Amino acid sequence: IQSAKARISGTMHKIIPAIAIAAIHGAVSVTAQACAAGTAQQIGGNWYCSEVKAITYSNFPGTGSYNKITNMDANTGQCTSEKQAYRGSLAPMSEELSMHFRGPTFLKQLAVYYPQSDAKVKRSDHVHAHAHRHGQQHAHHPKRDHAPGRRAVGDMVVATIDGQVVSWANEYAGPGASPNTAAAQPLPEPQTTLATSFGSPSQIPSTTSTPTSPDPINPLPHADSSGGGSGQWARQAYFNAEAGSSNGFTFLNHFGGTLGKPGTADGGPAFGASLSYASPDGRSAAASPQTLGNKMIDDDVEIIVLSDKTCEGDSCGYTRPGGVAYHGFGGDSKLFMMEFSMPRSGKTGFNGDMPAIWLLNAQIPLTSQYGTNPKCSCWTSGCGEFDLFEVLDTGNFRCKSTLHMAPAGGSSDYFRRPDTSTIKAAVLFHGANQAAHIKILDNGQNFDESLAADVVEAMAQEGGHGGQSSVFRLADV
């Protein structure tokens, strides 16, 4: 059975300086982020600028396309796809997303919120904006030798380091990889027919659209989809490790078809093992949905979190035949809140002491996240990945963030790894502002059943934190 340690692209590229790169179908789009004078440093092939408490990603292109998987043939290990165009203020990250946690990470609380103007539930009026001490590890794609979210060999790198602009072609393909195997897959040409990722080609995502029916995955009825206004944000899913409770989430891993458990390994290494229900410690498959345990997720163990709403028919688009399939979390405006720590394990070797937390377009784990055939995943054509807190080398105390789409880009400012105590963090997709925000919250912030709009808006404010904030503007394509 294909181990989840092999990422779908078969490549692993180190994130290079304070820059953003997009290598797209023969053309290269580049955005440079300048480090403050004297702050740039290179560690393990990755560049770092300054420690921050908040990072904003703005200037999303809003339109584009990727290759959407339409069929997976387990007999041949081959897949077919079609061009999927997208449009929206944060597209394609407005499509349904899955959450991923790799150890060593201790997840204490997790919640997902959507804007709702008339929520009648307990609310939080407490605005917390200052940072709480946090440690860092590397928590990206837990089980992968090669990360499709990495910069490809041949991509142009541009950076401003100590006041001087420098550029070069990336030649680093990752441990054990050769330049020939590290080449990034090109993005598809734009297409005129627009469709969403929810199996409904007749609707185009818009920041002004209003849902017409309740849905635990998309904004609630009467929701303020602009992300602002005077309404509240209602909690749609919540997990509390200490209480041993979970509502609205399904915890999964990549052991489909093993030991007679739900899921499939059909297709072999080309597809990798499908999603499976995770045991409470995440180290094996379970026969039915389980709640994540109140303990640390071990090194090189990955937990995938989707909603508790099963995929029916084509409601999730194409999904792996025989696999476990649940909806992700979609919409232009959505809020993920989490409390976690990333203790130092002292382990070495593959993914040792390298925790990570990231988001993927849910179509990736629902088809092939760790297969060896890159044509069986939309990742290679830019359907979307957002690294939130990722430790890039063993034992590092810095957590990086990166967006992998079209264009791709990553801030070289970093969060400090929460290795000795937990932190609370928000990941806010703000459709009206066309921005995505990662922010460390005050430790007193509650995960109430609803949040006041001004509390959420405070999470979207650029600046503050005593200058410890960063804004990364993606390049136009």
Side-chain angles (χ1 to χ4, degrees), residues 298-387:
D298 290 336
D299 295 63
D300 197 28
V301 171
E302 175 180 351
I303 294 293
I304 301 96
V305 184
L306 290 168
S307 76
D308 63 352
K309 182 178 181 181
T310 58
C311 297
E312 303 292 343
D314 63 353
S315 61
C316 296
Y318 183 84
T319 60
R320 177 87 171 268
V324 176
Y326 286 79
H327 279 273
F329 299 92
D332 278 337
S333 294
K334 51 184 176 273
L335 169 65
F336 300 90
M337 286 176 56
M338 58 195 75
E339 179 182 7
F340 66 96
S341 64
M342 293 176 164
R344 294 178 186 267
S345 68
K347 294 184 179 180
T348 58
F350 183 74
N351 278 342
D353 207 5
M354 294 172 63
I357 300 174
W358 71 103
L359 303 169
L360 289 179
N361 188 312
Q363 294 178 67
I364 298 171
L366 290 174
T367 51
S368 174
Q369 184 178 347
Y370 293 116
T372 58
N373 186 349
K375 293 183 179 180
C376 293
S377 171
C378 65
W379 188 94
T380 52
S381 56
C383 62
E385 172 184 344
F386 195 4
D387 303 332

Side-chain angles (χ1 to χ4, degrees), residues 27 33 40 76 99 112 131 138 151 168 190 211 234 266 292 308 314 316 325 327-328 347:
Q33 175 194 0
T76 64
M99 292 177 279
V112 177
H138 180 174
R151 193 155 294 118
W168 63 91
D266 291 349
L292 184 65
D308 63 352
D314 63 353
C316 296
H327 279 273
K347 294 184 179 180

Side-chain angles (χ1 to χ4, degrees), residues 17 19 37 130 143-144 198 200 205 234-235 290 301 312 352 356 366 372 386 404 424 440:
I19 50 92
H130 74 68
K143 300 183 174 183
R144 61 176 186 191
F198 309 114
S200 176
R235 194 179 71 195
Q290 306 289 310
V301 171
E312 303 292 343
L366 290 174
T372 58
F386 195 4
H404 303 287
K424 293 179 179 179
I440 306 302

Side-chain angles (χ1 to χ4, degrees), residues 402-425:
T402 307
L403 262 171
H404 303 287
M405 42 177 277
S411 173
S412 282
D413 289 324
Y414 61 89
F415 298 103
R416 184 169 182 85
R417 172 182 176 173
D419 56 346
T420 61
S421 59
T422 63
I423 60 168
K424 293 179 179 179

Side-chain angles (χ1 to χ4, degrees), residues 149-274:
R150 295 288 178 263
R151 193 155 294 118
V153 168
D155 286 355
M156 288 303 299
V157 177
V158 177
T160 303
I161 301 176
D162 289 342
Q164 295 193 7
V165 177
V166 295
S167 63
W168 63 91
N170 178 34
E171 297 179 354
Y172 185 81
S178 66
N180 290 334
T181 62
Q185 298 293 319
L187 286 175
E189 293 290 347
Q191 194 178 20
T192 55
T193 302
L194 297 175
T196 72
S197 65
F198 309 114
S200 176
S202 63
Q203 295 181 348
I204 299 174
S206 170
T207 58
T208 58
S209 63
T210 301
T212 57
S213 61
D215 191 325
I217 313 306
N218 297 310
L220 297 169
H222 313 299
D224 177 6
S225 61
S226 69
S230 58
Q232 298 180 350
W233 286 61
R235 194 179 71 195
Q236 292 293 286
Y238 179 63
F239 161 73
N240 187 305
E242 186 173 353
S245 62
S246 177
N247 179 42
F249 289 129
T250 304
F251 297 95
L252 305 160
N253 53 14
H254 292 103
F255 294 98
T258 62
L259 301 175
K261 299 298 192 297
T264 181
D266 291 349
F271 297 169
S274 77

